[in-house]
Amino acid sequence: MAVVDVKNLSGKNVGQMDLPDSVFGAKINPNLLHETVRWYQASMRAGTHKTKGRGEVSGSGRKLWKQKGTGRARVGSIRSSIWRKGGTVHGPVPRSYAYRLPRKMFLGALRSALSAKLADQKLTVVDDWQLESHKTKAFREVLERLDGETKTTLLVEVIENRNLELASRNLEGVKLVAPHLLQPYDLLRHDRLVLSKDAALRLGTTLGPRSARPASEEMVTIEAATPVAKPKAAKPAAKKKAAPAKKASAKKPAAKKKGKK
């Protein structure tokens, strides 16, 4: 790990800090930095350019002269693109120039830019930004004590610091950002990088490799318990339905025997 000095606002060393090599000692990739800068500048383009086409310029739609018999070239409209003050053909229209950059490329460029700052000895770690005032003049004196020769400075702070925000926003060439908003373009554009101690720890944690699972930890597989079949409850005995009583057939009255006369 790289060891850097930690300074206070008076410019004196108050300790040392270890920076992980995976973030601040990575291999510098110029091609990756170039591609990331192109992506950032493309996303910052306004894209509000516009020219008027044939249907948008002023002018009548009347045919200027008849098609044949004049000896002149045929023409249909005064708004034609070959005429003065005519419409523009295939001119620019408002659009977005932004495109997607893979996250691995962005993180790799960020590590390269941080490593380049540390290799060039243009990285400063500050113990804490405890400013007594929000005045710009007092903050300019602090920056001169830290590094008076630098014209452009990039400040990175984790927590919200109102005095630091107010004191730095009026200084030309000084920019304040949070660690999660840090861009490789800002690191390359500014000459000096000033990190707070908490910001350096945050960058070393978030940009570093993910911690692997320790080898001693064993994977325990929990098998699902076999469900015990519940005994089926005995069905209640079905009640026997009484057989319907047969209707007694009505007996026909016996026929009267006819007596002999």
Side-chain angles (χ1 to χ4, degrees):
M1 289 189 177
V3 180
V4 295
D5 296 331
V6 179
K7 299 182 179 181
N8 57 10
L9 298 184
S10 300
K12 298 180 181 179
N13 294 340
V14 294
Q16 291 184 337
M17 181 180 181
D18 294 335
L19 297 179
D21 292 337
S22 59
V23 178
F24 295 90
K27 183 180 179 180
I28 302 175
N29 191 336
N31 296 331
L32 195 58
L33 291 172
H34 171 72
E35 183 61 34
T36 309
V37 169
R38 287 185 66 252
W39 163 79
Y40 179 80
Q41 290 180 337
S43 62
M44 295 299 292
R45 292 186 65 174
T48 55
H49 38 47
K50 177 70 171 68
T51 57
K52 289 185 178 181
R54 182 169 177 169
E56 297 171 328
V57 296
S58 61
S60 174
R62 173 180 173 272
K63 188 174 178 64
L64 299 180
W65 50 78
K66 62 181 182 179
Q67 181 81 353
K68 295 180 179 294
T70 62
R72 306 176 69 181
R74 54 190 175 186
V75 64
S77 173
I78 199 174
R79 295 182 291 181
S80 175
S81 59
I82 63 176
W83 280 63
R84 181 173 176 268
K85 296 184 179 180
T88 303
V89 180
H90 305 304
V93 294
R95 71 182 184 92
S96 174
Y97 286 89
Y99 59 93
R100 180 183 174 275
L101 183 73
R103 181 170 177 80
K104 288 186 178 181
M105 293 181 63
F106 175 80
L107 296 179
L110 202 56
R111 296 187 190 101
S112 295
L114 291 172
S115 301
K117 289 297 182 185
L118 183 60
D120 296 340
Q121 298 181 357
K122 295 182 179 181
L123 188 148
T124 305
V125 179
V126 178
D127 186 19
D128 196 4
W129 289 108
Q130 293 182 354
L131 300 177
E132 298 178 357
S133 173
H134 64 280
K135 298 295 184 179
T136 304
K137 182 178 180 180
F139 182 68
R140 168 57 73 183
E141 295 175 356
V142 171
L143 292 181
E144 290 179 356
R145 287 193 294 266
L146 292 175
D147 189 3
E149 299 178 357
T150 304
K151 295 182 179 180
T152 56
T153 305
L154 179 64
L155 311 175
V156 183
E157 174 64 327
V158 176
I159 60 177
E160 184 178 357
N161 192 332
R162 186 60 176 170
N163 286 343
L164 179 60
E165 180 182 353
L166 294 177
S168 62
R169 68 181 182 180
N170 288 334
L171 290 175
E172 184 180 0
V174 178
K175 184 177 181 179
L176 174 64
V177 296
H180 64 281
L181 299 177
L182 188 60
Q183 293 284 342
Y185 176 80
D186 293 331
L187 291 171
L188 297 177
R189 184 174 180 272
H190 295 83
D191 188 29
R192 170 68 59 173
L193 173 63
V194 181
L195 302 173
S196 66
K197 192 175 181 179
D198 295 336
L201 291 174
R202 178 71 62 85
L203 291 174
T205 304
T206 56
L207 297 179
R210 295 182 180 180
S211 57
R213 184 184 297 273
S216 60
E217 185 178 354
E218 296 181 357
M219 298 291 293
V220 179
T221 305
I222 301 176
E223 298 180 357
T226 306
V228 181
K230 296 183 179 179
K232 296 183 180 179
K235 294 183 179 180
K239 295 182 180 179
K240 295 182 179 181
K241 295 182 179 180
K246 293 182 180 181
K247 294 182 179 180
S249 57
K251 294 182 179 181
K252 296 182 180 180
K256 295 181 179 182
K257 293 181 179 181
K258 296 181 179 181
K260 293 180 181 181
K261 290 183 180 181

